[in-house]
Amino acid sequence: MRKLYLPVVFLMLACFTSCVDVEEHYDFKPDGSCKVAYSFDMSKAVSVLMNLMTDSVKATPQFAIVKDTSLNFYSALPDSTQQKMSPDEVNLAKSSNLSVKMNLQKSLMKISIDHQAKNAADLQYYLQNISKIESHSDLKAVTNNNNSKNFDARQLISGQDYYAYEVTPHKFYRILDKAKFNAFLKKTQSTFAMAKAMLIEMPYKVILNFAKPVKKISNPKAILSADRKRVTLQTNMDEIIKNPSVMNLKIDF
């Protein structure tokens, strides 16, 4: 019975890969460079899942999984893929890193992705192409072990593919593509339905720190700091699904 039950457990965990606290963080520097980081925290979903498990199941080796590792995107690519990449794609992959922290016994599951963009053009290229680069990588191996083959970190990153960007030294524009977003929702609707039924919240926060004051911002939901150098947009997936335009940002600085 236990042998049949455990694969179901990890399949459920795989389904929760969209049930995360998501945070995007941008730090713009005076020289025009920008560090961008995505963090995906699935700890709450894991905690809910663990509460459903019996003590005997929690005591099995499958639930003793612990990972704390970092991986460069370029090193995660097969040689055959590296050879086909353009110089820009190589630079993107080499300047992007993935970190994974996982401890099921402590209800911990966090993944972060960061990139150091040299300038506005580099940042726009990264934002428009990161999901394409990761689709060829071996990121699944970072979070996988013999007992959790259904979990794939790439599912988290591919969800960032539904934006159109315009980034210059003085503006950061991001508009959600409704057709791509609807396609994403269609693929993940069962996951979101499961999360909602289990009362799992899915917060989404975007934080942008600028080196100079913001002149204009389009989104009335976004909060501007007193010194006008920090923009914070906080929402959740329920609100985004009902009103996708809540994620649109047009910032002049």
Side-chain angles (χ1 to χ4, degrees), residues 20-24 44 162-163 174 176 181 200-207 219-223 231-249:
V20 300
D21 290 10
V22 182
E23 183 171 309
E24 297 179 47
K44 291 180 182 177
Y162 42 68
Y163 295 111
R174 178 175 81 174
L176 186 143
F181 184 66
I200 297 176
E201 296 181 354
M202 292 168 280
Y204 201 123
K205 182 186 289 186
V206 184
I207 299 172
N219 192 325
K221 188 177 178 63
I223 298 173
V231 174
T232 304
L233 175 61
Q234 190 161 353
T235 180
N236 57 65
M237 283 307 300
D238 279 346
E239 184 177 17
I240 296 170
I241 291 171
K242 294 174 183 175
N243 179 24
S245 63
V246 74
M247 294 301 292
N248 292 343
L249 283 170

Side-chain angles (χ1 to χ4, degrees), residues 15-157:
C15 290
F16 279 123
T17 56
S18 291
C19 304
V20 300
D21 290 10
V22 182
E23 183 171 309
E24 297 179 47
H25 205 117
Y26 300 81
D27 285 315
F28 292 86
K29 306 301 181 182
D31 63 0
S33 64
C34 178
K35 181 179 180 180
V36 55
Y38 294 104
S39 65
F40 306 89
D41 189 347
M42 290 169 284
S43 300
K44 291 180 182 177
V46 174
S47 178
V48 171
L49 178 62
M50 294 297 285
N51 287 335
L52 299 176
M53 302 297 102
T54 63
D55 291 339
S56 60
V57 174
K58 292 179 184 179
T60 60
Q62 286 88 343
F63 280 89
I65 299 170
V66 176
K67 285 184 179 287
D68 188 349
T69 186
S70 296
L71 179 72
N72 179 264
F73 264 43
Y74 188 74
S75 66
L77 297 170
D79 291 342
S80 57
T81 300
Q82 292 179 0
Q83 294 169 4
K84 298 176 184 178
M85 294 170 68
S86 69
D88 285 339
E89 291 173 333
V90 170
N91 289 333
L92 184 155
K94 285 185 175 180
S95 57
S96 302
N97 298 290
L98 174 95
S99 299
V100 177
K101 291 185 178 182
M102 180 166 59
N103 187 327
L104 299 184
Q105 293 286 0
K106 295 183 178 180
S107 298
L108 175 66
M109 177 77 79
K110 294 182 179 181
I111 295 175
S112 62
I113 304 156
D114 65 80
H115 173 77
Q116 185 68 47
K118 299 186 296 292
N119 50 44
D122 187 23
L123 177 59
Q124 176 159 335
Y125 183 84
Y126 169 79
L127 295 172
Q128 291 179 334
N129 290 276
I130 182 59
S131 63
K132 299 175 185 177
I133 296 295
E134 58 76 22
S135 67
H136 300 295
S137 69
D138 193 24
L139 300 183
K140 189 172 183 178
V142 180
T143 52
N144 265 358
N145 60 32
N146 292 332
N147 298 305
S148 58
K149 295 178 179 175
N150 291 306
F151 180 80
D152 191 346
R154 292 178 296 181
Q155 297 173 15
L156 301 174
I157 313 167

